[in-house]
Amino acid sequence: MGTAAPQARSEDELVATRCWSYPLNSAGAVTFTPDADRVFLGMGGARVEAVAVDGAKLWSTELGGDIISNILPRKNTLFVATAGPLTGDGKSGEGMLRALSRETGITLWTLKLSSAARHSLHGLNEDLVIVSNNGVIQSVDAKTGAGKWKREIADGFMASPVFTKESVLVAASGKQVFGVLLATGEIDSMRRSQVAITALAETSGGELVTGDERGNITAYIRGSDKVSWRFKVGGQISGLFAQGDNLIATSHDNFVYFISSRNGGVIWKKRLGGRVSHVATVANKYALSTSFEEHGAGITELLTGKPLGNILLGNEESITADPSVSAGRLFILTTQSLH
């Protein structure tokens, strides 16, 4: 990843060196997942490509429609959900879960899904759990696609689900947060909110943390409806991420916050040049953050909030997914390339 260094570089500045770039076609890519010795790209038109960690293309497969989930590698199989074209009333087309060979991209089996704009895929032992934002959660056998259990929890989910060791946390459109056991589909917890929940996290100590449309971040005592602490910022909470004993929060007030999960105290905050679009951490030492208006990412020392430099892209190039680390390298997906 190329960096444009100032004429007088600080001794503390962290420099990222680009190893290679894999150009995208005009359709671009909507998602990517690094996995050991390769990276899987979800492209426009529901094309999936596998790229080696040295940037060489391994295979490509056309699935048709649009990719509407994360790409999930599991052993020798790759899982992804697609949807057909929009219907006449503007709703998403029929969803399809697809199991592909990790080595060749050949389809192994398919399973019809209910119509939803987004599906989140998560592996649990030999099973696959699918959380759909239309309020449906289900589990299937990862080898065959055979159904294990299915629950219709709500009319819809408002925030990205949070998967823990034994359960998944979902924020329902009815201003409720449910905990659902991954093994059985049973609801093991439920909390109500006065406002719409827009982000969820679970701390290292097992406490639920919610962010809402009014800028409140609220932590609950484990196994209780009692509030442990609450912190308010200047805009809707767009993301919450557990990081060790702390939390990273992003808000529509254009700030990234690093917060103690013990008491809600702000360790540091950073204002971006626009609304925060993506945040990631590297080696538990650095935080990368970018906004919709920026062509690159800022590098911050995670524990102190000290600026350490920038990863700069071209004037027409923007980051389109959260950066990710695998095999000792940092991968960044942009509007033009995988770096």
Side-chain angles (χ1 to χ4, degrees):
M1 291 152 290
T3 59
Q7 292 182 351
R9 178 182 294 166
S10 168
E11 293 182 358
D12 296 329
E13 183 175 354
L14 188 67
V15 179
T17 302
R18 181 166 52 193
C19 302
W20 50 260
S21 296
Y22 182 82
L24 308 177
N25 63 14
S26 57
V30 295
T31 187
F32 80 111
T33 302
D35 178 47
D37 62 343
R38 62 195 63 189
V39 182
F40 298 105
L41 281 168
M43 315 284 284
R47 186 167 81 248
V48 178
E49 294 188 354
V51 181
V53 290
D54 61 2
K57 182 177 179 179
L58 298 175
W59 54 257
S60 177
T61 185
E62 300 272 356
L63 303 177
D66 295 296
I67 291 176
I68 54 171
S69 76
N70 56 307
I71 296 176
L72 178 66
R74 295 284 291 173
K75 295 183 179 179
N76 298 321
T77 310
L78 195 67
F79 298 97
V80 63
T82 62
L86 294 177
T87 61
D89 55 4
K91 295 183 178 180
S92 300
E94 185 177 60
M96 187 74 70
L97 174 66
R98 300 175 184 271
L100 311 177
S101 165
R102 184 183 183 276
E103 297 301 319
T104 65
I106 295 174
T107 298
L108 304 176
W109 54 260
T110 62
L111 175 69
K112 289 184 179 179
L113 300 174
S114 56
S115 179
R118 180 73 181 173
H119 304 279
S120 297
L121 311 181
H122 177 77
L124 176 70
N125 300 324
E126 300 300 322
D127 297 337
L128 184 69
V129 178
I130 307 126
V131 178
S132 306
N133 73 343
N134 62 355
V136 177
I137 306 176
Q138 60 187 308
S139 175
V140 301
D141 187 296
K143 293 182 179 179
T144 65
K148 294 293 188 71
W149 55 261
K150 185 176 183 180
R151 294 292 301 267
E152 296 184 16
I153 303 293
D155 291 335
F157 297 139
M158 303 296 293
S160 297
V162 173
F163 293 95
T164 69
K165 185 177 181 180
E166 298 180 346
S167 64
V168 58
L169 303 173
V170 289
S173 54
K175 301 178 182 179
Q176 300 161 309
V177 177
F178 292 97
V180 180
L181 294 177
L182 295 172
T184 64
E186 297 178 13
I187 295 174
D188 70 339
S189 66
M190 191 275 286
R191 291 180 176 86
R192 296 185 182 276
S193 173
Q194 297 298 313
V195 294
I197 300 298
T198 54
L200 293 170
E202 184 177 87
T203 69
S204 58
E207 290 186 331
L208 169 68
V209 184
T210 65
D212 65 42
E213 61 184 353
R214 297 182 183 175
N216 297 300
I217 301 173
T218 306
Y220 295 87
I221 296 173
R222 184 175 181 177
S224 169
D225 290 332
K226 294 183 178 180
V227 173
S228 173
W229 54 261
R230 180 175 283 118
F231 176 68
K232 183 174 176 60
V233 302
Q236 175 177 305
I237 304 302
S238 56
L240 285 173
F241 315 93
Q243 178 61 43
D245 293 330
N246 303 305
L247 292 164
I248 295 176
T250 61
S251 168
H252 285 180
D253 62 5
N254 301 349
F255 275 91
V256 177
Y257 298 87
F258 196 51
I259 300 171
S260 167
S261 61
R262 181 177 59 86
N263 57 20
V266 176
I267 300 171
W268 57 261
K269 62 181 181 179
K270 177 183 178 181
R271 184 168 188 170
L272 274 60
R275 184 164 291 180
V276 182
S277 59
H278 300 288
V279 173
T281 59
V282 180
N284 295 319
K285 294 182 179 180
Y286 314 110
L288 272 65
S289 57
T290 186
S291 71
F292 289 102
E293 289 77 11
E294 294 175 299
H295 302 287
I299 306 173
T300 303
E301 189 173 50
L302 187 59
L303 294 181
T304 67
K306 182 179 180 179
L308 295 178
N310 296 282
I311 297 173
L312 301 181
L313 304 170
N315 291 333
E316 302 300 323
E317 193 173 13
S318 300
I319 294 173
T320 58
D322 290 342
S324 185
V325 176
S326 181
R329 294 180 179 179
L330 172 67
F331 294 90
I332 292 181
L333 184 66
T334 75
T335 48
Q336 298 180 7
S337 300
L338 172 69
H339 300 293

